[in-house]
Amino acid sequence: MKKTTDVAIIGGGPAGLMLAIELGCRGVDCVVLEEDIAAPDFPKANATSSRTMEHYRRRGFAAQIRSLGLAEDHPQDVIYCTTLVGHELTRFAIPSRSQALARTSFGDYGEESWPTPELPHRGQQMLIEPVLRAQAQQYDSVHLMLGWQAQSLAMDDEQVTIVSRHAHSGEAFEMRARYVVGCDGPRSLVRKTCGIRYSGQSDEARDFFGGQMLSVYFTSASLYDVLDKPRAWMYWAVNAVQRGLLIAIDGVDQFLFCLQLAPGQSPESVDYKAAMFAAIGSEFAFELIATGPWHAGFTLVADQFSKGRAFIAGDAAHLFTPTGGMGYNTSVDDAVNLGWKLAAVVKGWAGEELLDSYEAERKPIAQRNTTFARAMADSIGGIKVPPNVDAEGLDAERVRQQLGDALHRHVRNEFNIPGLQLGLRYEGSPIVASEAGAPTLDEPNHYLPSARPGARAPHIWLDGASIFDLFGRDYTLLCFTASDHNAPPADALAWQAAAAAMNVPLALVCCSSLDARALYGADRVLVRPDHHVAWRGDASADAPALLAMACARERHRALQPIAA
């Protein structure tokens, strides 16, 4: 066991493992302390966003993730019914795995509304974590200590000391690290030790998705026959007797059912079988695997994301109500943002000031994403269900039509979110160039591609490959030129020389596509390791000054606006 390391990561969920992958691919020594020896075996997060899939693509395993979960041709639709065997009120179409690869439209939106090489994917976290573990373990500099729980930590100006204990043997172990990152969930030892508090709402009451919830994980070979509907990924029961949510895990016989407990009920006292049968609208044979309580109604963001040599990410930094499916995805994005910055500092090509940009960039995104999740929880939780919604007759039909229209407006807002997933940006960050003019609106349901500094670099297909696939592991200078076959222009070579003098890893990519040049809006574009734009401009730019700015190597002056 290692007694010293560069980065100690407490918590081996998606955030901790993705952080280890980002460090490992850059040769940074890190240790992951994870108290659970086995990967999780209970469903939790079940939606991987486009942005997360793009991160998995950067590291080369997006196809492996997309192979998990529902069958290749199983629809990933979301449907709303009175009871699940009753009337279907509305359906929102989400491409299956095979349709996603074929670029099928999302809901009733065309391909152009999701300009990404990686559409969202539905696959349970319990299936994804083993892949993340395997990816992390392939790097010699990553050390997974499974079964070890961090007990305490102490910091000074030079290092962090972590005392951990093995969950089974009780053996104690002390380790020292340059930095520690708490990816250790809502009860984070790192956050509490640093005295960092959450701010926001923690107990919002709603008719659904507000308060104590219970998840029921089960198998049933007959449920699809009972439902007797075109298949979907997520089924919502919306009636006046028992609301509930059913999620298909594997498209064969595994399911998760979620219900909200009434005031005064406990997970032990609730008759989950009766609730499940009432929401589905029929009894059916099933075998229980496990139940798990959880809480809806959180909209919480940590007041700080770091203190001294300690950082927090994932659920330690923010807690969501799961509407919109952004909790796990925001966690992965935290890890990617922090990972390359820690690597840059440890490897010596950036100063510690670079780490200050982590909170500056990620805290506003956490506030943005939790606010969206709360709005969607308010939307679905506040929909009133008429008592005659499952009755017969013309009046009931009109009621169902009105309810279906309201639900369709909701589902489009909750699940058609290219702006939320692809439109995140770090404008105003200390390591992003300023640019005159107003940015495009940040709208969850609409995304307008932009290479304005701070934005995610926009995707475009080039000879069947995404432009993302051309970017280097760390910084990339995109040079739009007359021909890809010419030698790099002189100014690009000057960038390369400046980067070499500063030990900054920089890849040069020359591109002759006029469409790509129009999309990026400049002749030269500096793209960060996380595929956000650091700067764009022309060939006369001061390369050393811009690299210093992007790496937080020195104070930089305000940059002049570019001529598009």
Side-chain angles (χ1 to χ4, degrees):
M1 293 186 294
K2 291 186 68 65
K3 293 186 177 180
T4 61
T5 189
D6 288 318
V7 181
I9 302 168
I10 300 179
L17 291 169
M18 195 64 190
L19 178 59
I21 291 167
E22 292 292 328
L23 295 172
C25 76
R26 296 174 171 90
V28 175
D29 196 90
C30 64
V31 173
V32 181
L33 295 168
E34 168 52 50
E35 60 185 281
D36 292 328
I37 295 175
D41 58 3
F42 191 87
K44 190 181 176 184
N46 56 75
T48 302
S49 73
S50 279
R51 187 65 181 135
T52 299
M53 289 298 296
E54 289 177 357
H55 288 317
Y56 295 161
R57 185 186 184 102
R58 287 171 48 253
R59 298 278 70 88
F61 57 93
Q64 190 175 356
I65 296 294
R66 201 173 289 281
S67 71
L68 304 173
L70 301 173
E72 186 177 51
D73 60 350
H74 192 294
Q76 297 187 13
D77 298 357
V78 180
I79 66 171
Y80 296 79
C81 309
T82 50
T83 62
L84 300 191
V85 302
H87 300 277
E88 184 171 318
L89 298 166
T90 194
R91 177 181 290 256
F92 186 78
I94 297 177
S96 66
R97 282 169 40 203
S98 60
Q99 289 172 330
L101 293 173
R103 311 299 305 161
T104 298
S105 61
F106 203 95
D108 50 3
Y109 297 87
E111 176 186 346
E112 68 280 355
S113 67
W114 284 82
T116 171
E118 298 288 351
L119 286 174
H121 176 64
R122 311 300 165 184
Q124 286 289 337
Q125 181 176 322
M126 66 180 184
L127 305 176
I128 291 171
E129 278 198 32
V131 175
L132 296 178
R133 283 191 178 190
Q135 288 293 322
Q137 286 176 312
Q138 73 175 328
Y139 299 109
D140 292 339
S141 65
V142 175
H143 311 274
L144 296 187
M145 291 182 59
L146 302 176
W148 288 87
Q149 183 180 45
Q151 300 283 302
S152 66
L153 63 91
M155 281 188 296
D156 58 30
D157 291 340
E158 301 296 326
Q159 64 183 6
V160 184
T161 302
I162 303 107
V163 176
S164 59
R165 189 175 300 279
H166 195 273
H168 298 299
S169 70
E171 177 187 358
F173 179 70
E174 184 174 288
M175 177 174 56
R176 289 174 175 81
R178 287 180 62 179
Y179 302 98
V180 64
V181 183
C183 302
D184 46 348
R187 297 177 180 85
S188 170
L189 170 68
V190 177
R191 192 188 72 251
K192 290 179 179 178
T193 301
C194 291
I196 299 172
R197 300 174 61 87
Y198 286 130
S199 291
Q201 292 77 32
S202 60
D203 193 17
E204 296 190 279
R206 303 182 184 94
D207 290 344
F208 195 68
F209 267 168
Q212 188 69 49
M213 306 285 293
L214 183 69
S215 291
V216 183
Y217 181 28
F218 66 94
T219 63
S220 174
S222 62
L223 182 53
Y224 279 121
D225 293 332
V226 172
L227 297 178
D228 192 29
K229 285 180 172 63
R231 294 194 176 190
W233 156 60
M234 182 179 281
Y235 304 76
W236 293 79
V238 185
N239 61 67
V241 176
Q242 180 64 62
R243 296 178 69 163
L245 170 62
L246 180 75
I247 298 169
I249 304 296
D250 63 355
V252 180
D253 62 358
Q254 292 187 37
F255 300 89
L256 186 74
F257 178 76
C258 302
L259 69 146
Q260 181 162 316
L261 304 187
Q265 280 186 322
S266 68
E268 297 76 23
S269 67
V270 67
D271 187 346
Y272 70 83
K273 183 185 294 188
M276 191 160 67
F277 289 165
I280 291 172
S282 175
E283 296 188 5
F284 60 96
F286 73 95
E287 292 187 15
L288 178 69
I289 299 175
T291 62
W294 53 283
H295 195 89
F298 289 135
T299 307
L300 295 173
V301 176
D303 294 338
Q304 298 170 255
F305 278 30
S306 67
K307 185 174 183 180
R309 294 186 168 271
F311 300 82
I312 55 174
D315 287 354
H318 40 69
L319 284 179
F320 286 69
T321 291
T323 37
M326 290 301 292
Y328 136 67
N329 295 290
T330 305
S331 300
V332 169
D333 218 10
D334 290 343
V336 171
N337 185 288
L338 181 58
W340 73 263
K341 294 173 181 177
L342 282 169
V345 173
V346 169
K347 290 295 184 180
W349 56 267
E352 287 203 334
E353 294 81 6
L354 179 65
L355 300 177
D356 295 338
S357 68
Y358 171 61
E359 178 179 319
E361 293 183 347
R362 293 305 301 167
K363 184 178 177 182
I365 296 299
Q367 292 169 330
R368 162 192 188 259
N369 292 356
T370 55
T371 298
F372 172 81
R374 179 190 183 194
M376 291 302 98
D378 286 343
S379 173
I380 188 63
I383 288 179
K384 301 301 180 183
V385 183
N388 64 334
V389 70
D390 220 0
E392 299 301 325
L394 291 177
D395 286 345
E397 287 181 13
R398 281 192 290 269
V399 164
R400 285 191 290 273
Q401 180 64 51
Q402 292 169 354
L403 180 58
D405 291 345
L407 289 167
H408 193 70
R409 288 191 295 272
H410 164 81
V411 71
R412 285 165 60 102
N413 287 336
E414 181 178 353
F415 290 97
N416 185 62
I417 49 175
L420 191 76
Q421 295 186 10
L422 305 177
L424 71 164
R425 57 197 181 218
Y426 301 138
E427 191 134 349
S429 166
I431 59 169
V432 168
S434 59
E435 188 171 293
T440 58
L441 292 177
D442 184 8
E443 299 178 282
N445 305 112
H446 301 281
Y447 169 64
L448 182 63
S450 171
R452 183 181 174 89
R456 158 195 168 270
H459 154 75
I460 187 172
W461 293 111
L462 300 172
D463 297 325
S466 172
I467 196 170
F468 297 164
D469 301 335
L470 304 179
F471 296 166
R473 185 195 65 189
D474 294 298
Y475 275 97
T476 299
L477 182 69
L478 265 176
C479 302
F480 292 103
T481 60
S483 172
D484 281 333
H485 303 294
N486 292 339
D491 69 287
L493 295 177
W495 275 85
Q496 200 169 45
M502 299 168 67
N503 294 317
V504 174
L506 176 72
L508 297 182
V509 173
C510 294
C511 179
S512 62
S513 167
L514 295 177
D515 289 339
R517 167 58 178 82
L519 178 63
Y520 275 78
D523 290 331
R524 305 290 183 264
V525 182
L526 183 62
V527 180
R528 303 182 345 172
D530 55 5
H531 291 186
H532 282 259
V533 174
W535 163 87
R536 61 178 177 174
D538 59 32
S540 65
D542 185 341
L546 288 165
L547 288 169
M549 175 275 297
C551 301
R553 291 273 281 263
E554 61 184 35
R555 291 182 180 272
H556 62 283
R557 57 185 171 78
L559 300 171
Q560 296 301 311
I562 66 165

